[in-house]
Amino acid sequence: MIAAPASGQGKTTVTAALARLHARQGRRVQVFKCGPDFLDPNWLELASGAPVHQLDLWMNGEQDCTQRLHAAAQQADLVLVEGVMGLFDGDPSAADLAQRFGIPVLAVVDASAMAGTFGAMAFGLRHYRPGLPWAGVLANRVGSARHADMLRDGLRDAGDWLGALARVQPAGSNAKAAAKGGALLPERHLGLVAAHELPDRMERLDAAADALRETPLGAMDIHALQRWAVDFPAPPAAAAVPPLLAGRTVAVAQDAAFCFVYAANVQTLRDLGARVVFFSPLADAWLPDCDALWLPGGYPELHTAQLAANTGMAASLQAHVRAGKHVWAECGGMMALCDAITLADGTAAPLWGLLPGRVTMQQRLAALGPQQLALGGHTLRGHTFHYSTCDSSAAVVARTQRPHDGPEAAAGGGEAVYRHGSIHASYFHAWFPSSPGAVAHLLGVGAH
């Protein structure tokens, strides 16, 4: 597990570099992301060449985590898990996951503004919780070879040292931008910029892998890595997913505006028996023939002009809703269905107008954290994370609640779930494997 004392230390860069380094050498690498996240997996999948799934003891559940790790161990040479926030942040935390499954922790520490304190931080991370599996520590954003020596000398246990990385710069035309403070993996308001948006994405990953190769960690071959081998035993057999969507086609929006899609969610739709087809609301002239529609989250606020210009797609979506066919729209998908949006600069832009209401972008994070939704006799788990607010007159048929809140808490808090005709919409991002029955309900099976 690649973890850190806080967000922003370089976990994703190091995880992607390690995955890319070994994938380039022909090894099968499976990467997981601890906790809910859509953007880091973009980079991790590109680096490893394999789909990246979430591991979260609450959102997935222990049974699902056990199954995914066991399956990965059957076919991968190297399994990596990127942590979330700081190592001990959250309930459950990345440390909880590492300890439950015996996964050794590699701590990545931004050492750009420290010297001897680096050793104290490494010691604290290793010993704060008794019995935490431990691999070592990697210093990130190190200024010089002399700086690296100072950091290494400050460690209580010399065996903890797995190397130092300078601030990695993308090659070619982007090197000047990086030297002026630009990041190898740049960010925007919801997290990392998606990998598909950067034409030099592979060059960036290769630059990170090349830098890591010069560290003790990067120099380890697959035999040396066996010191951290973990046994992931087979889990008890899980109940089969009922084919509630058999014979139905579910269309899934997927493009630069609607890119927050868990690979496991798509697999759950297929496990439910659905035929899954993908389409681009930005580029396609009309909606594919389908029985139900999933509009996932993303960045519709960055593509309002293109969405408005695609009048054929807007008309096709209107026809879908008029026909009473079901829509599940989450976060960015819900935003796009509204009448209009006020952008961060104060300008207004029209949206699809299928859900009464207006979206307003905010300067600060509007909501963040794990959430669950009771719906149709099922409980669907997931999270919320958005920088906008929505004012809608549509009926609120349910509200999400935090994991440890009682039923009464959902009455006045959580994310609203709106119902307007055949549309269900919310800021809530759902993890479909947590309740396939609830997903089928949202897409029209058993819904009223």
Side-chain angles (χ1 to χ4, degrees), residues 70 134 193 198 226 258 281 372 399 443:
H70 173 73
W134 185 254
V193 171
L198 298 173
Q226 286 298 315
F258 304 94
Q372 59 188 4
R399 283 191 179 273
L443 296 176

Side-chain angles (χ1 to χ4, degrees), residues 78-234:
L78 179 64
V79 176
L80 304 175
V81 182
E82 185 194 341
V84 59
M85 300 184 295
L87 176 58
F88 301 103
D89 295 334
D91 182 20
S93 65
D96 292 326
L97 185 74
Q99 199 146 18
R100 166 59 185 84
F101 293 103
I103 305 170
V105 172
L106 161 65
V108 176
V109 177
D110 180 350
S112 58
M114 66 176 70
T117 302
F118 175 80
M121 185 169 287
F123 183 86
L125 290 170
R126 179 174 183 175
H127 296 287
Y128 178 76
R129 178 180 294 183
L132 179 73
W134 185 254
V137 63
L138 184 80
N140 194 25
R141 300 168 189 149
V142 174
S144 65
R146 173 59 184 150
H147 186 197
D149 289 342
M150 294 168 64
L151 298 169
R152 185 180 61 246
D153 292 346
L155 293 173
R156 290 281 187 90
D157 185 342
D160 283 351
W161 180 253
L162 292 175
L165 283 176
R167 186 179 292 273
V168 182
Q169 298 180 5
S173 61
N174 292 296
K176 290 183 180 179
K180 293 179 180 178
L184 183 74
L185 306 187
E187 298 187 26
R188 61 160 67 99
H189 58 282
L190 291 178
L192 293 178
V193 171
H196 66 260
E197 297 184 50
L198 298 173
D200 63 342
R201 51 192 174 272
M202 292 311 300
E203 288 86 348
R204 289 169 181 262
L205 290 172
D206 282 331
D210 290 343
L212 188 68
R213 184 176 55 193
E214 303 306 314
T215 68
L217 175 66
M220 295 173 70
D221 62 18
I222 202 68
H223 301 291
L225 290 170
Q226 286 298 315
R227 73 175 71 169
W228 298 315
V230 179
D231 180 32
F232 296 115

Side-chain angles (χ1 to χ4, degrees), residues 111-369:
S112 58
M114 66 176 70
T117 302
F118 175 80
M121 185 169 287
F123 183 86
L125 290 170
R126 179 174 183 175
H127 296 287
Y128 178 76
R129 178 180 294 183
L132 179 73
W134 185 254
V137 63
L138 184 80
N140 194 25
R141 300 168 189 149
V142 174
S144 65
R146 173 59 184 150
H147 186 197
D149 289 342
M150 294 168 64
L151 298 169
R152 185 180 61 246
D153 292 346
L155 293 173
R156 290 281 187 90
D157 185 342
D160 283 351
W161 180 253
L162 292 175
L165 283 176
R167 186 179 292 273
V168 182
Q169 298 180 5
S173 61
N174 292 296
K176 290 183 180 179
K180 293 179 180 178
L184 183 74
L185 306 187
E187 298 187 26
R188 61 160 67 99
H189 58 282
L190 291 178
L192 293 178
V193 171
H196 66 260
E197 297 184 50
L198 298 173
D200 63 342
R201 51 192 174 272
M202 292 311 300
E203 288 86 348
R204 289 169 181 262
L205 290 172
D206 282 331
D210 290 343
L212 188 68
R213 184 176 55 193
E214 303 306 314
T215 68
L217 175 66
M220 295 173 70
D221 62 18
I222 202 68
H223 301 291
L225 290 170
Q226 286 298 315
R227 73 175 71 169
W228 298 315
V230 179
D231 180 32
F232 296 115
V241 176
L244 299 173
L245 296 178
R248 301 193 181 204
T249 298
V250 177
V252 179
Q254 190 169 47
D255 58 22
F258 304 94
C259 52
F260 291 175
V261 177
Y262 290 129
N265 282 14
V266 175
Q267 185 58 51
T268 297
L269 293 175
R270 291 178 173 140
D271 291 344
L272 282 161
R275 172 176 171 260
V276 178
V277 295
F278 295 96
F279 73 102
S280 168
L282 293 175
D284 293 339
W286 55 78
L287 191 66
D289 185 31
C290 62
D291 302 290
L293 172 62
W294 174 31
L295 294 172
Y299 295 104
E301 69 272 20
L302 301 180
H303 303 275
T304 54
Q306 194 172 351
L307 287 171
N310 193 351
T311 55
M313 177 57 69
S316 186
L317 290 165
Q318 290 168 359
H320 179 93
V321 173
R322 281 199 306 268
K325 295 182 178 181
H326 285 263
V327 177
W328 166 237
E330 53 188 39
C331 203
M334 178 187 72
M335 293 164 61
L337 289 175
C338 289
D339 295 316
I341 183 171
T342 299
L343 300 170
D345 63 3
T347 60
L351 295 169
W352 284 327
L354 296 174
L355 182 70
R358 188 177 191 92
V359 175
T360 303
M361 296 302 299
Q362 307 294 316
Q363 296 296 329
R364 296 172 180 264
L365 189 64
L368 169 68

Side-chain angles (χ1 to χ4, degrees), residues 328 330 371-373 380-383 400 426-430:
W328 166 237
E330 53 188 39
Q371 299 279 313
Q372 59 188 4
L373 173 64
L380 191 60
R381 294 183 172 186
H383 76 288
T400 62
S426 178
Y427 274 118
F428 173 64
H429 290 283

